[in-house]
Short mmCIF file of all heavy atoms in Angstrom, two decimals:
data_model
loop_
_atom_site.label_atom_id
_atom_site.label_comp_id
_atom_site.label_asym_id
_atom_site.label_seq_id
_atom_site.Cartn_x
_atom_site.Cartn_y
_atom_site.Cartn_z
N MET A 1 30.71 11.82 -1.85
CA MET A 1 29.27 11.83 -1.70
C MET A 1 28.67 10.78 -2.65
O MET A 1 29.02 10.70 -3.81
CB MET A 1 28.74 13.22 -2.02
CG MET A 1 27.26 13.34 -1.93
SD MET A 1 26.77 15.05 -2.24
CE MET A 1 25.27 15.03 -1.35
N ALA A 2 27.77 9.99 -2.15
CA ALA A 2 27.14 8.95 -2.97
C ALA A 2 26.11 9.57 -3.90
O ALA A 2 25.45 10.53 -3.57
CB ALA A 2 26.46 7.93 -2.07
N THR A 3 26.02 8.98 -5.08
CA THR A 3 25.02 9.44 -6.04
C THR A 3 24.02 8.32 -6.28
O THR A 3 24.33 7.15 -6.13
CB THR A 3 25.67 9.84 -7.38
OG1 THR A 3 26.35 8.72 -7.91
CG2 THR A 3 26.63 11.00 -7.18
N LEU A 4 22.83 8.69 -6.65
CA LEU A 4 21.78 7.73 -6.95
C LEU A 4 21.91 7.32 -8.41
O LEU A 4 21.82 8.14 -9.31
CB LEU A 4 20.41 8.37 -6.69
CG LEU A 4 19.21 7.46 -6.86
CD1 LEU A 4 19.26 6.34 -5.83
CD2 LEU A 4 17.93 8.24 -6.70
N ASP A 5 22.16 6.05 -8.63
CA ASP A 5 22.24 5.56 -10.00
C ASP A 5 21.20 4.47 -10.21
O ASP A 5 20.43 4.16 -9.32
CB ASP A 5 23.65 5.04 -10.32
CG ASP A 5 24.07 3.91 -9.41
OD1 ASP A 5 23.22 3.38 -8.66
OD2 ASP A 5 25.25 3.55 -9.43
N SER A 6 21.17 3.91 -11.41
CA SER A 6 20.15 2.90 -11.71
C SER A 6 20.29 1.67 -10.84
O SER A 6 19.31 1.01 -10.51
CB SER A 6 20.21 2.51 -13.19
OG SER A 6 21.48 1.95 -13.48
N HIS A 7 21.50 1.33 -10.41
CA HIS A 7 21.70 0.17 -9.53
C HIS A 7 21.02 0.40 -8.17
O HIS A 7 20.38 -0.49 -7.64
CB HIS A 7 23.19 -0.10 -9.33
CG HIS A 7 23.45 -1.26 -8.43
ND1 HIS A 7 23.18 -2.56 -8.81
CD2 HIS A 7 23.91 -1.32 -7.17
CE1 HIS A 7 23.50 -3.36 -7.81
NE2 HIS A 7 23.94 -2.63 -6.80
N ALA A 8 21.14 1.59 -7.63
CA ALA A 8 20.53 1.90 -6.33
C ALA A 8 19.01 1.81 -6.41
O ALA A 8 18.37 1.36 -5.47
CB ALA A 8 20.95 3.29 -5.87
N VAL A 9 18.44 2.20 -7.53
CA VAL A 9 16.99 2.12 -7.70
C VAL A 9 16.55 0.67 -7.76
O VAL A 9 15.56 0.28 -7.18
CB VAL A 9 16.55 2.90 -8.96
CG1 VAL A 9 15.09 2.66 -9.25
CG2 VAL A 9 16.85 4.37 -8.78
N ARG A 10 17.30 -0.18 -8.44
CA ARG A 10 16.95 -1.60 -8.57
C ARG A 10 16.94 -2.31 -7.22
O ARG A 10 16.12 -3.17 -6.98
CB ARG A 10 17.90 -2.31 -9.52
CG ARG A 10 17.59 -2.07 -10.97
CD ARG A 10 18.32 -3.07 -11.84
NE ARG A 10 19.74 -3.10 -11.60
CZ ARG A 10 20.65 -2.44 -12.30
NH1 ARG A 10 20.28 -1.67 -13.29
NH2 ARG A 10 21.92 -2.55 -12.02
N ILE A 11 17.85 -1.95 -6.31
CA ILE A 11 17.91 -2.66 -5.05
C ILE A 11 16.91 -2.12 -4.03
O ILE A 11 16.69 -2.73 -3.02
CB ILE A 11 19.33 -2.66 -4.45
CG1 ILE A 11 19.79 -1.25 -4.10
CG2 ILE A 11 20.30 -3.36 -5.36
CD1 ILE A 11 21.04 -1.21 -3.29
N SER A 12 16.27 -0.98 -4.31
CA SER A 12 15.35 -0.41 -3.33
C SER A 12 14.03 -1.20 -3.27
O SER A 12 13.42 -1.27 -2.23
CB SER A 12 15.07 1.05 -3.64
OG SER A 12 14.37 1.17 -4.85
N VAL A 13 13.59 -1.80 -4.34
CA VAL A 13 12.33 -2.55 -4.33
C VAL A 13 12.44 -3.79 -3.46
O VAL A 13 11.61 -4.01 -2.59
CB VAL A 13 11.88 -2.88 -5.77
CG1 VAL A 13 10.67 -3.80 -5.76
CG2 VAL A 13 11.57 -1.59 -6.52
N PRO A 14 13.48 -4.64 -3.60
CA PRO A 14 13.59 -5.78 -2.68
C PRO A 14 13.75 -5.33 -1.23
O PRO A 14 13.31 -6.02 -0.33
CB PRO A 14 14.83 -6.52 -3.18
CG PRO A 14 14.92 -6.16 -4.61
CD PRO A 14 14.44 -4.74 -4.69
N ALA A 15 14.36 -4.18 -1.00
CA ALA A 15 14.51 -3.69 0.38
C ALA A 15 13.15 -3.40 1.00
O ALA A 15 12.92 -3.69 2.17
CB ALA A 15 15.39 -2.45 0.40
N LEU A 16 12.22 -2.87 0.20
CA LEU A 16 10.87 -2.63 0.72
C LEU A 16 10.15 -3.94 1.01
O LEU A 16 9.45 -4.06 2.01
CB LEU A 16 10.07 -1.80 -0.29
CG LEU A 16 10.51 -0.36 -0.49
CD1 LEU A 16 9.71 0.28 -1.61
CD2 LEU A 16 10.39 0.42 0.79
N ALA A 17 10.34 -4.92 0.15
CA ALA A 17 9.74 -6.23 0.39
C ALA A 17 10.33 -6.88 1.62
O ALA A 17 9.62 -7.52 2.40
CB ALA A 17 9.94 -7.12 -0.84
N LEU A 18 11.62 -6.70 1.84
CA LEU A 18 12.28 -7.24 3.01
C LEU A 18 11.73 -6.59 4.28
O LEU A 18 11.47 -7.27 5.28
CB LEU A 18 13.79 -7.03 2.92
CG LEU A 18 14.62 -7.55 4.09
CD1 LEU A 18 14.48 -9.06 4.21
CD2 LEU A 18 16.06 -7.15 3.92
N ALA A 19 11.53 -5.28 4.24
CA ALA A 19 10.97 -4.58 5.40
C ALA A 19 9.55 -5.06 5.71
O ALA A 19 9.19 -5.28 6.87
CB ALA A 19 10.99 -3.07 5.15
N ALA A 20 8.75 -5.26 4.68
CA ALA A 20 7.38 -5.75 4.89
C ALA A 20 7.40 -7.17 5.45
O ALA A 20 6.64 -7.49 6.37
CB ALA A 20 6.60 -5.72 3.57
N GLY A 21 8.29 -8.00 4.94
CA GLY A 21 8.41 -9.36 5.44
C GLY A 21 8.86 -9.40 6.88
O GLY A 21 8.39 -10.20 7.69
N HIS A 22 9.78 -8.51 7.24
CA HIS A 22 10.26 -8.43 8.61
C HIS A 22 9.15 -7.99 9.55
O HIS A 22 9.00 -8.53 10.66
CB HIS A 22 11.45 -7.46 8.71
CG HIS A 22 12.05 -7.41 10.07
ND1 HIS A 22 11.67 -6.47 10.99
CD2 HIS A 22 12.97 -8.20 10.67
CE1 HIS A 22 12.34 -6.66 12.09
NE2 HIS A 22 13.15 -7.71 11.93
N THR A 23 8.34 -7.04 9.13
CA THR A 23 7.21 -6.58 9.94
C THR A 23 6.23 -7.71 10.20
O THR A 23 5.79 -7.91 11.33
CB THR A 23 6.49 -5.41 9.24
OG1 THR A 23 7.43 -4.34 9.05
CG2 THR A 23 5.32 -4.91 10.03
N VAL A 24 5.89 -8.46 9.16
CA VAL A 24 4.95 -9.57 9.30
C VAL A 24 5.53 -10.65 10.20
O VAL A 24 4.86 -11.15 11.11
CB VAL A 24 4.58 -10.14 7.92
CG1 VAL A 24 3.80 -11.44 8.06
CG2 VAL A 24 3.80 -9.13 7.11
N ALA A 25 6.79 -11.01 9.99
CA ALA A 25 7.42 -12.06 10.80
C ALA A 25 7.51 -11.67 12.27
O ALA A 25 7.24 -12.49 13.15
CB ALA A 25 8.81 -12.38 10.24
N THR A 26 7.86 -10.43 12.54
CA THR A 26 7.97 -9.97 13.92
C THR A 26 6.61 -9.95 14.60
O THR A 26 6.47 -10.39 15.75
CB THR A 26 8.61 -8.56 13.97
OG1 THR A 26 9.90 -8.63 13.35
CG2 THR A 26 8.76 -8.07 15.39
N ALA A 27 5.60 -9.47 13.90
CA ALA A 27 4.25 -9.43 14.48
C ALA A 27 3.75 -10.85 14.78
O ALA A 27 3.15 -11.09 15.83
CB ALA A 27 3.29 -8.73 13.53
N ARG A 28 4.02 -11.78 13.89
CA ARG A 28 3.60 -13.17 14.13
C ARG A 28 4.37 -13.78 15.30
O ARG A 28 3.80 -14.46 16.14
CB ARG A 28 3.80 -14.01 12.88
CG ARG A 28 2.74 -13.77 11.83
CD ARG A 28 2.92 -14.69 10.65
NE ARG A 28 3.09 -16.08 11.08
CZ ARG A 28 2.22 -17.05 10.86
NH1 ARG A 28 1.14 -16.80 10.19
NH2 ARG A 28 2.45 -18.27 11.28
N HIS A 29 5.67 -13.53 15.37
CA HIS A 29 6.49 -14.09 16.44
C HIS A 29 6.07 -13.56 17.80
O HIS A 29 6.01 -14.30 18.78
CB HIS A 29 7.97 -13.76 16.18
CG HIS A 29 8.88 -14.25 17.26
ND1 HIS A 29 9.17 -15.59 17.41
CD2 HIS A 29 9.56 -13.59 18.21
CE1 HIS A 29 9.99 -15.73 18.44
NE2 HIS A 29 10.25 -14.53 18.94
N LEU A 30 5.77 -12.27 17.87
CA LEU A 30 5.39 -11.65 19.14
C LEU A 30 3.89 -11.74 19.40
O LEU A 30 3.42 -11.30 20.46
CB LEU A 30 5.82 -10.18 19.15
CG LEU A 30 7.33 -9.94 19.06
CD1 LEU A 30 7.62 -8.46 18.95
CD2 LEU A 30 8.05 -10.56 20.24
N ASP A 31 3.14 -12.27 18.44
CA ASP A 31 1.69 -12.38 18.55
C ASP A 31 1.06 -11.01 18.85
O ASP A 31 0.24 -10.86 19.76
CB ASP A 31 1.29 -13.40 19.61
CG ASP A 31 -0.16 -13.83 19.48
OD1 ASP A 31 -0.70 -13.76 18.36
OD2 ASP A 31 -0.76 -14.22 20.50
N GLU A 32 1.48 -10.02 18.08
CA GLU A 32 1.01 -8.65 18.22
C GLU A 32 0.44 -8.17 16.89
O GLU A 32 0.82 -8.66 15.84
CB GLU A 32 2.16 -7.72 18.63
CG GLU A 32 2.72 -7.98 20.01
CD GLU A 32 1.76 -7.57 21.11
OE1 GLU A 32 0.94 -6.67 20.89
OE2 GLU A 32 1.85 -8.16 22.21
N PRO A 33 -0.48 -7.20 16.93
CA PRO A 33 -1.01 -6.66 15.68
C PRO A 33 0.01 -5.77 14.98
O PRO A 33 0.97 -5.30 15.60
CB PRO A 33 -2.22 -5.85 16.13
CG PRO A 33 -1.88 -5.44 17.52
CD PRO A 33 -1.09 -6.58 18.10
N ILE A 34 -0.22 -5.54 13.71
CA ILE A 34 0.59 -4.61 12.94
C ILE A 34 -0.14 -3.27 12.93
O ILE A 34 -1.29 -3.19 12.52
CB ILE A 34 0.80 -5.11 11.50
CG1 ILE A 34 1.59 -6.42 11.53
CG2 ILE A 34 1.51 -4.06 10.64
CD1 ILE A 34 1.70 -7.09 10.18
N LEU A 35 0.52 -2.23 13.41
CA LEU A 35 -0.05 -0.90 13.41
C LEU A 35 0.30 -0.23 12.09
O LEU A 35 1.46 -0.26 11.67
CB LEU A 35 0.50 -0.08 14.58
CG LEU A 35 0.32 -0.69 15.96
CD1 LEU A 35 0.95 0.21 17.01
CD2 LEU A 35 -1.13 -0.93 16.27
N THR A 36 -0.67 0.38 11.46
CA THR A 36 -0.44 1.02 10.18
C THR A 36 -1.28 2.30 10.07
O THR A 36 -2.35 2.39 10.64
CB THR A 36 -0.77 0.06 9.02
OG1 THR A 36 -0.48 0.71 7.78
CG2 THR A 36 -2.21 -0.40 9.04
N ALA A 37 -0.74 3.25 9.34
CA ALA A 37 -1.47 4.49 9.10
C ALA A 37 -2.33 4.39 7.84
O ALA A 37 -3.23 5.19 7.64
CB ALA A 37 -0.50 5.65 8.96
N ASN A 38 -2.05 3.39 7.02
CA ASN A 38 -2.79 3.22 5.75
C ASN A 38 -3.13 1.75 5.58
O ASN A 38 -2.29 0.96 5.14
CB ASN A 38 -1.95 3.74 4.59
CG ASN A 38 -2.70 3.73 3.29
OD1 ASN A 38 -3.78 3.15 3.18
ND2 ASN A 38 -2.14 4.36 2.28
N LEU A 39 -4.34 1.38 5.89
CA LEU A 39 -4.76 -0.01 5.83
C LEU A 39 -4.75 -0.56 4.41
O LEU A 39 -4.45 -1.73 4.19
CB LEU A 39 -6.17 -0.13 6.43
CG LEU A 39 -6.62 -1.50 6.88
CD1 LEU A 39 -5.64 -2.13 7.84
CD2 LEU A 39 -7.99 -1.41 7.51
N LYS A 40 -5.01 0.26 3.42
CA LYS A 40 -5.05 -0.20 2.03
C LYS A 40 -3.69 -0.70 1.55
O LYS A 40 -3.61 -1.63 0.76
CB LYS A 40 -5.56 0.91 1.11
CG LYS A 40 -7.03 1.18 1.30
CD LYS A 40 -7.60 1.79 0.06
CE LYS A 40 -9.08 2.01 0.22
NZ LYS A 40 -9.86 0.87 -0.15
N ARG A 41 -2.60 -0.10 2.03
CA ARG A 41 -1.26 -0.56 1.65
C ARG A 41 -1.02 -1.98 2.11
O ARG A 41 -0.36 -2.77 1.44
CB ARG A 41 -0.19 0.34 2.25
CG ARG A 41 0.02 1.62 1.51
CD ARG A 41 1.13 2.45 2.10
NE ARG A 41 2.30 1.66 2.41
CZ ARG A 41 3.21 2.00 3.31
NH1 ARG A 41 3.09 3.10 4.00
NH2 ARG A 41 4.25 1.23 3.54
N ARG A 42 -1.53 -2.34 3.26
CA ARG A 42 -1.30 -3.67 3.83
C ARG A 42 -2.24 -4.72 3.25
O ARG A 42 -1.97 -5.91 3.33
CB ARG A 42 -1.46 -3.64 5.34
CG ARG A 42 -0.54 -2.69 6.04
CD ARG A 42 0.86 -3.19 6.03
NE ARG A 42 1.73 -2.26 6.72
CZ ARG A 42 3.03 -2.40 6.79
NH1 ARG A 42 3.59 -3.43 6.22
NH2 ARG A 42 3.76 -1.51 7.42
N GLU A 43 -3.35 -4.29 2.66
CA GLU A 43 -4.31 -5.26 2.11
C GLU A 43 -3.71 -6.05 0.95
O GLU A 43 -4.02 -7.23 0.79
CB GLU A 43 -5.59 -4.55 1.67
CG GLU A 43 -6.45 -4.10 2.84
CD GLU A 43 -7.66 -3.30 2.41
OE1 GLU A 43 -7.77 -2.95 1.21
OE2 GLU A 43 -8.49 -3.03 3.28
N ALA A 44 -2.84 -5.45 0.17
CA ALA A 44 -2.19 -6.15 -0.93
C ALA A 44 -1.31 -7.28 -0.40
O ALA A 44 -1.28 -8.38 -0.96
CB ALA A 44 -1.36 -5.19 -1.76
N ILE A 45 -0.63 -7.04 0.69
CA ILE A 45 0.20 -8.08 1.31
C ILE A 45 -0.69 -9.16 1.91
O ILE A 45 -0.42 -10.34 1.79
CB ILE A 45 1.11 -7.46 2.39
CG1 ILE A 45 2.09 -6.48 1.75
CG2 ILE A 45 1.85 -8.54 3.16
CD1 ILE A 45 2.83 -5.62 2.72
N GLN A 46 -1.77 -8.75 2.54
CA GLN A 46 -2.71 -9.68 3.17
C GLN A 46 -3.22 -10.70 2.15
O GLN A 46 -3.34 -11.88 2.46
CB GLN A 46 -3.88 -8.90 3.78
CG GLN A 46 -5.01 -9.74 4.30
CD GLN A 46 -4.69 -10.37 5.64
OE1 GLN A 46 -4.01 -9.78 6.44
NE2 GLN A 46 -5.20 -11.55 5.87
N ASP A 47 -3.51 -10.25 0.95
CA ASP A 47 -4.06 -11.13 -0.08
C ASP A 47 -3.07 -12.20 -0.54
O ASP A 47 -3.46 -13.24 -1.05
CB ASP A 47 -4.53 -10.31 -1.28
CG ASP A 47 -5.71 -9.42 -0.95
OD1 ASP A 47 -6.38 -9.69 0.06
OD2 ASP A 47 -5.93 -8.45 -1.69
N LEU A 48 -1.77 -11.95 -0.37
CA LEU A 48 -0.75 -12.89 -0.81
C LEU A 48 -0.40 -13.95 0.23
O LEU A 48 0.22 -14.96 -0.10
CB LEU A 48 0.53 -12.12 -1.18
CG LEU A 48 0.39 -11.12 -2.32
CD1 LEU A 48 1.68 -10.32 -2.47
CD2 LEU A 48 0.07 -11.84 -3.62
N LEU A 49 -0.80 -13.73 1.46
CA LEU A 49 -0.40 -14.64 2.54
C LEU A 49 -1.45 -15.72 2.80
O LEU A 49 -2.65 -15.48 2.65
CB LEU A 49 -0.18 -13.84 3.83
CG LEU A 49 0.95 -12.82 3.78
CD1 LEU A 49 0.97 -11.99 5.06
CD2 LEU A 49 2.28 -13.51 3.58
N PRO A 50 -1.00 -16.90 3.22
CA PRO A 50 -1.95 -17.98 3.51
C PRO A 50 -2.61 -17.85 4.89
O PRO A 50 -3.45 -18.63 5.24
CB PRO A 50 -1.08 -19.24 3.44
CG PRO A 50 0.29 -18.77 3.78
CD PRO A 50 0.38 -17.35 3.25
N TRP A 51 -2.23 -16.87 5.66
CA TRP A 51 -2.84 -16.62 6.96
C TRP A 51 -3.31 -15.17 7.02
O TRP A 51 -2.95 -14.35 6.18
CB TRP A 51 -1.85 -16.90 8.10
CG TRP A 51 -0.62 -16.06 8.03
CD1 TRP A 51 -0.47 -14.79 8.49
CD2 TRP A 51 0.63 -16.40 7.42
NE1 TRP A 51 0.78 -14.32 8.20
CE2 TRP A 51 1.47 -15.30 7.56
CE3 TRP A 51 1.10 -17.54 6.78
CZ2 TRP A 51 2.78 -15.31 7.08
CZ3 TRP A 51 2.40 -17.52 6.31
CH2 TRP A 51 3.22 -16.43 6.45
N THR A 52 -4.10 -14.84 8.01
CA THR A 52 -4.60 -13.47 8.13
C THR A 52 -3.68 -12.66 9.03
O THR A 52 -3.09 -13.19 9.97
CB THR A 52 -6.03 -13.43 8.69
OG1 THR A 52 -6.04 -14.07 9.95
CG2 THR A 52 -7.00 -14.12 7.76
N LEU A 53 -3.59 -11.39 8.74
CA LEU A 53 -2.83 -10.47 9.57
C LEU A 53 -3.77 -9.71 10.48
O LEU A 53 -4.87 -9.36 10.08
CB LEU A 53 -2.07 -9.46 8.69
CG LEU A 53 -1.03 -10.01 7.73
CD1 LEU A 53 -0.48 -8.89 6.87
CD2 LEU A 53 0.07 -10.72 8.47
N ASP A 54 -3.32 -9.48 11.68
CA ASP A 54 -4.08 -8.66 12.61
C ASP A 54 -3.62 -7.22 12.42
O ASP A 54 -2.56 -6.83 12.90
CB ASP A 54 -3.84 -9.12 14.05
CG ASP A 54 -4.72 -8.43 15.05
OD1 ASP A 54 -5.69 -7.75 14.64
OD2 ASP A 54 -4.46 -8.58 16.25
N LEU A 55 -4.39 -6.44 11.65
CA LEU A 55 -4.01 -5.07 11.31
C LEU A 55 -4.84 -4.08 12.11
O LEU A 55 -6.05 -4.24 12.26
CB LEU A 55 -4.24 -4.81 9.82
CG LEU A 55 -3.46 -5.70 8.87
CD1 LEU A 55 -3.94 -5.48 7.45
CD2 LEU A 55 -1.98 -5.44 8.98
N VAL A 56 -4.19 -3.04 12.62
CA VAL A 56 -4.85 -1.98 13.35
C VAL A 56 -4.47 -0.66 12.68
O VAL A 56 -3.28 -0.32 12.59
CB VAL A 56 -4.43 -1.96 14.84
CG1 VAL A 56 -5.08 -0.79 15.56
CG2 VAL A 56 -4.79 -3.28 15.50
N GLU A 57 -5.48 0.06 12.19
CA GLU A 57 -5.22 1.35 11.55
C GLU A 57 -5.19 2.46 12.59
O GLU A 57 -6.10 2.57 13.40
CB GLU A 57 -6.28 1.65 10.48
CG GLU A 57 -5.96 2.87 9.67
CD GLU A 57 -6.88 3.03 8.48
OE1 GLU A 57 -8.00 2.47 8.50
OE2 GLU A 57 -6.49 3.70 7.52
N ILE A 58 -4.14 3.25 12.54
CA ILE A 58 -3.98 4.38 13.45
C ILE A 58 -4.53 5.62 12.76
O ILE A 58 -4.11 5.94 11.64
CB ILE A 58 -2.52 4.58 13.84
CG1 ILE A 58 -1.97 3.33 14.51
CG2 ILE A 58 -2.36 5.79 14.73
CD1 ILE A 58 -0.49 3.37 14.75
N THR A 59 -5.46 6.31 13.39
CA THR A 59 -6.01 7.54 12.83
C THR A 59 -5.97 8.63 13.89
O THR A 59 -5.84 8.36 15.09
CB THR A 59 -7.46 7.35 12.35
OG1 THR A 59 -8.24 6.94 13.46
CG2 THR A 59 -7.53 6.32 11.26
N GLU A 60 -6.11 9.84 13.45
CA GLU A 60 -6.12 10.97 14.40
C GLU A 60 -7.49 11.15 15.00
O GLU A 60 -8.49 10.83 14.51
CB GLU A 60 -5.71 12.24 13.69
CG GLU A 60 -4.26 12.21 13.32
CD GLU A 60 -3.82 13.54 12.74
OE1 GLU A 60 -4.34 14.59 13.14
OE2 GLU A 60 -2.96 13.51 11.87
#
């Protein structure tokens, strides 16, 4: 059984950045909006990019 050690924690942060980058790249390639449940989480990424993201917030 695998255990969570300090090495696993260190690699989880770049994995989240990789997932965010993949989402942005796919949305741009397909010319589709990014659907999100929390618009504020994506605003931090939006501020770092030289282009605008087409974000759509999903609510109930």
Side-chain angles (χ1 to χ4, degrees):
M1 179 177 205
T3 60
L4 185 64
D5 59 11
S6 61
H7 179 70
V9 172
R10 281 195 306 263
I11 64 169
S12 67
V13 173
L16 291 175
L18 180 63
H22 184 266
T23 301
V24 170
T26 302
R28 284 184 49 113
H29 178 72
L30 298 175
D31 196 27
E32 294 289 333
I34 297 173
L35 304 178
T36 182
N38 186 349
L39 200 54
K40 289 204 178 272
R41 281 183 45 204
R42 302 288 180 185
E43 287 176 352
I45 296 168
Q46 172 77 34
D47 294 340
L48 298 173
L49 297 174
W51 59 83
T52 59
L53 298 175
D54 187 12
L55 300 171
V56 177
E57 187 171 23
I58 301 172
T59 59
E60 290 186 32

